[in-house]
């Protein structure tokens, strides 16, 4: 079963989140692709999702797409350490979780900055990224 995390490759917060996941994904469960990639355009088209319009993390898992807080919580559930405990927040109604998520997403460039080009993984990590 492949799990792919699609992220905004220009966003410093998003790139930092990917690096955070990589450090805590000891079983290499996740693969990664920027929302700006050809892979994202192709993979998400079948779900009627336009990557250019996505302002959130997108998780493709078991043939289903998850966005915003649900995607983030499902990722946390698979990480080592105490991070899976965050999945308990799934009981909070999605409109509340996504409201907080959307507020952060809307301000992410202002608060965390934006790169001029997509983050490029090290040669050791390239195998986990989909073009």
């Amino acid at each position: 079963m492949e799990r792919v995390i699609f992220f905004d490759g220009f966003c410093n917060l998003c790139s930092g989140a990917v690096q955070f996941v990589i450090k805590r994904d000891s079983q290499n469960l996740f693969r990664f692709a920027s929302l700006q990639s050809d892979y994202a355009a192709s993979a998400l088209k079948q779900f009627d999702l336009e990557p250019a319009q996505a302002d959130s993390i997108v998780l493709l898992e078991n043939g289903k797409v998850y966005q915003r807080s649900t995607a983030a919580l499902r990722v946390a559930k698979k990480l080592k350490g105490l991070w899976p405990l965050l999945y308990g927040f799934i009981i909070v109604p999605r409109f509340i979780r996504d409201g907080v998520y959307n507020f952060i997403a809307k301000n992410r460039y202002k608060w965390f900055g934006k790169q001029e080009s997509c983050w490029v993984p090290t040669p050791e990590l390239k195998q986990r990224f989909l073009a």
Side-chain angles (χ1 to χ4, degrees):
M1 169 179 59
E2 187 166 84
R3 294 175 180 94
V4 181
I5 297 173
F6 296 94
F7 65 100
D8 180 348
F10 295 111
C11 170
N12 287 334
L13 174 63
C14 305
S15 295
V18 166
Q19 294 171 47
F20 178 89
V21 170
I22 289 169
K23 288 180 184 176
R24 289 155 184 84
D25 179 19
S26 58
Q27 296 178 38
N28 291 337
L29 297 173
F30 296 103
R31 299 289 174 259
F32 305 90
S34 76
L35 286 164
Q36 294 80 12
S37 69
D38 291 337
Y39 181 82
S42 171
L44 297 176
K45 185 177 186 174
Q46 64 185 316
F47 299 99
D48 293 324
L49 247 175
E50 185 63 43
Q53 295 175 349
D55 64 348
S56 75
I57 183 176
V58 178
L59 174 65
L60 176 58
E61 180 181 43
N62 291 333
K64 289 185 71 178
V65 168
Y66 303 93
Q67 293 182 293
R68 297 180 179 80
S69 64
T70 303
L73 291 174
R74 290 183 72 86
V75 169
K77 183 179 177 182
K78 299 292 182 186
L79 301 180
K80 69 178 182 180
L82 297 176
W83 298 106
L85 294 176
L86 290 175
Y87 191 73
F89 284 106
I90 203 77
I91 65 169
V92 174
R94 191 173 73 193
F95 78 93
I96 294 172
R97 289 186 281 117
D98 282 352
V100 172
Y101 185 99
N102 290 339
F103 178 73
I104 295 168
K106 181 179 175 184
N107 292 290
R108 70 187 186 275
Y109 293 144
K110 182 171 45 173
W111 295 342
F112 300 99
K114 182 177 180 179
Q115 300 176 32
E116 293 301 316
S117 61
C118 287
W119 174 70
V120 178
T122 64
E124 303 85 46
L125 295 177
K126 275 201 186 253
Q127 68 206 24
R128 296 190 61 189
F129 284 78
L130 306 166

